[in-house]
Amino acid sequence: MICLDHVTKRYGQVLALDDFSLQVEAGEFCVLVGPSGCGKTTCLRLINRLLDPDEGCIRIDGVDIASLRPEHLRRQIGYVIQSVGLFPHMTVAENIGVVPRLLHWPPDRIRARVDELLHLVSLEPSRYRDAYPRQLSGGEAQRVGVARALAADPAILLMDEPFGAVDPITRDSLHSEFARLQKALRKTVVFVTHFIDEAIRLGDRVAVMREGRLVQHDTPEELLAAPANDFVRDFIGSDRALKRLLRFQVGTLMRPARSVAATLPTSDLLPLLGGDAGAWVLDEAGRVVGWVDAGAAAGQGPVSAAMTRTALADITISAEASLNQALSMMVGLGVSSLPVTGPEGKLLGEVRLEDIAGLPPAGGRPQ
Ligand code: ADP
Ligand code: MG
């Protein structure tokens, strides 16, 4: 769908891209990764014609983009950048509606689209529609940036270090959400990052760049299994087995989990456990509120009074999170299982350390 064909780009004496060729298939999530200054941003700016190449050409669906009007081209392309670039004097809804307004959509259609997009990026429309960018956290602003880029339903999404400015925990949750979103939308995405973990987590294929050249273009599995040279090997780092866990989602290893109601008298606990070491405790809405040990059955009162691990906001994990994330949470908390929760904190199952440790070393199916 996107083809860079022997592209060279210079800024004065600086050779930013050097005979660079790359093909991205329709619906593919392609990650460009490499150290600062290797030409990643230049690549994206060439694709949406903020720049023109000195040599070579760029084709989208077989058409040389030099023959297209830039405004026309950019309507097919959503662009998300690190600094988000939300207009500070516009509300969230107005920011998301910028392109639809340029396209003269009727106001009702824009309003409906804004709400749809806010849902899509997990922001409650009634709460966020009329907020201003300064009232948003970094993660929320990035979500609005993604919603804005998706507004006119472009076939192509270009993302330049979109999650670079948020803290690592927010970044993890944005990754999970974005992986879910991409599964549903199947956009053709070119995503730029200098974090190899992010590339491995998100990419269908990863293009490793160095000094304006393509060093290796492979699936994450292939990249981890067979780095093309020392540069790629060093860039990936030594913990390749752990990085591989980034490719698996918690949902793939999820088991059914035993649970009991918080109001259950502890004296009734044992028969319900069926020999298990304990169970997750649920409130009346089905949300996980803690863990109860089989040993608590000797006590009095309801299960809720005998719970441990009650700081559950921090120890539940989503089915879309990576196994790498699950493992680091388990190590950090000193536990060997985590409850997997879905929308509104409802218990879906659990993920266990023994299952992560039992993954085949290679050749398993990433997802
Ligand atoms: P990356 O996004 O990978 O960090 P860039 O594509 O921004 O890299 O830059 C590639 C190279 O081109 C760097 O050496 C950078 O300094 C140079 N460069 C980028 N933009 C300009 C510019 N407008 N003028 C001069 N040099 C530039
Ligand atoms: Mg850049």
Side-chain angles (χ1 to χ4, degrees):
M1 174 155 200
I2 305 174
C3 174
L4 285 87
D5 194 358
H6 296 282
V7 170
T8 294
K9 177 69 195 172
R10 293 184 195 84
Y11 301 101
Q13 297 300 306
V14 179
L15 189 55
L17 286 182
D18 181 7
D19 194 25
F20 183 86
S21 295
L22 180 75
Q23 286 211 38
V24 183
E25 308 299 329
E28 180 180 343
F29 196 122
C30 170
V31 180
L32 302 181
V33 67
S36 179
C38 70
K40 305 180 296 293
T41 296
T42 301
C43 222
L44 295 190
R45 307 189 91 199
L46 287 163
I47 294 172
N48 71 0
R49 285 203 65 196
L50 290 168
L51 297 170
D52 287 318
D54 295 313
E55 287 158 46
C57 86
I58 298 163
R59 288 186 295 274
I60 292 182
D61 285 333
V63 177
D64 185 342
I65 62 171
S67 70
L68 301 175
R69 297 226 320 270
E71 320 80 73
H72 198 84
L73 172 73
R74 280 177 217 140
R75 257 175 240 159
Q76 321 282 326
I77 298 179
Y79 196 26
V80 188
I81 52 176
Q82 176 179 113
S83 51
V84 191
L86 296 179
F87 302 112
H89 56 285
M90 288 187 194
T91 64
V92 164
E94 288 165 346
N95 265 287
I96 296 174
V98 164
V99 175
R101 276 202 301 282
L102 284 175
L103 298 176
H104 303 295
W105 290 15
D108 302 359
R109 183 170 169 211
I110 298 179
R111 215 168 301 127
R113 180 68 177 151
V114 165
D115 283 7
E116 182 188 12
L117 287 162
L118 283 172
H119 273 302
L120 200 65
V121 297
S122 305
L123 296 174
E124 174 50 42
S126 61
R127 189 163 153 217
Y128 288 95
R129 207 188 278 130
D130 301 318
Y132 283 89
R134 68 186 139 75
Q135 298 168 303
L136 305 175
S137 73
E140 289 163 350
Q142 283 302 349
R143 283 173 201 185
V144 174
V146 171
R148 185 173 65 176
L150 290 170
D153 202 20
I156 295 172
L157 207 51
L158 305 179
M159 309 183 76
D160 197 347
E161 314 216 11
F163 310 140
V166 298
D167 62 89
I169 292 179
T170 306
R171 191 154 63 227
D172 271 341
S173 68
L174 287 171
H175 286 164
S176 302
E177 250 175 59
F178 199 68
R180 176 181 56 75
L181 202 70
Q182 171 60 5
K183 224 184 227 173
L185 298 178
R186 278 285 147 204
K187 299 287 175 193
T188 304
V189 183
V190 186
F191 185 107
V192 159
T193 180
H194 62 271
F195 295 118
I196 187 69
D197 284 35
E198 189 162 71
I200 289 169
R201 170 85 168 90
L202 294 175
D204 295 323
R205 282 195 295 168
V206 177
V208 184
M209 296 176 64
R210 180 190 196 184
E211 293 173 0
R213 292 179 151 263
L214 185 64
V215 187
Q216 184 168 4
H217 187 204
D218 261 326
T219 64
E221 286 273 305
E222 287 162 338
L223 205 68
L224 291 172
N229 58 26
D230 287 347
F231 173 78
V232 179
R233 196 184 308 275
D234 289 348
F235 199 70
I236 293 172
S238 52
D239 52 347
R240 284 196 270 161
L242 287 178
K243 291 217 164 68
R244 202 166 149 268
L245 293 179
L246 289 162
R247 291 300 296 169
F248 295 88
Q249 294 191 346
V250 163
T252 60
L253 282 191
M254 189 170 73
R255 303 173 171 233
R258 196 173 289 280
S259 61
V260 295
T263 51
L264 183 82
T266 45
S267 50
D268 293 349
L269 185 60
L270 272 189
L272 290 178
L273 290 184
D276 283 1
W280 302 106
V281 182
L282 308 185
D283 68 9
E284 62 278 17
R287 285 182 300 247
V288 186
V289 290
W291 167 265
V292 64
D293 236 64
Q300 311 247 307
V303 155
S304 58
M307 290 189 303
T308 56
R309 300 173 62 177
T310 50
L312 280 165
D314 300 318
I315 75 152
T316 62
I317 195 157
S318 78
E320 290 84 20
S322 72
L323 288 183
N324 181 293
Q325 211 177 323
L327 182 64
S328 75
M329 268 174 73
M330 287 180 192
V331 171
L333 296 162
V335 298
S336 59
S337 65
L338 296 172
V340 182
T341 53
E344 278 111 51
K346 290 222 168 62
L347 182 69
L348 302 176
E350 67 184 25
V351 58
R352 295 192 190 167
L353 183 60
E354 67 206 66
D355 293 337
I356 298 178
L359 273 182
R365 228 184 126 54
Q367 83 118 49

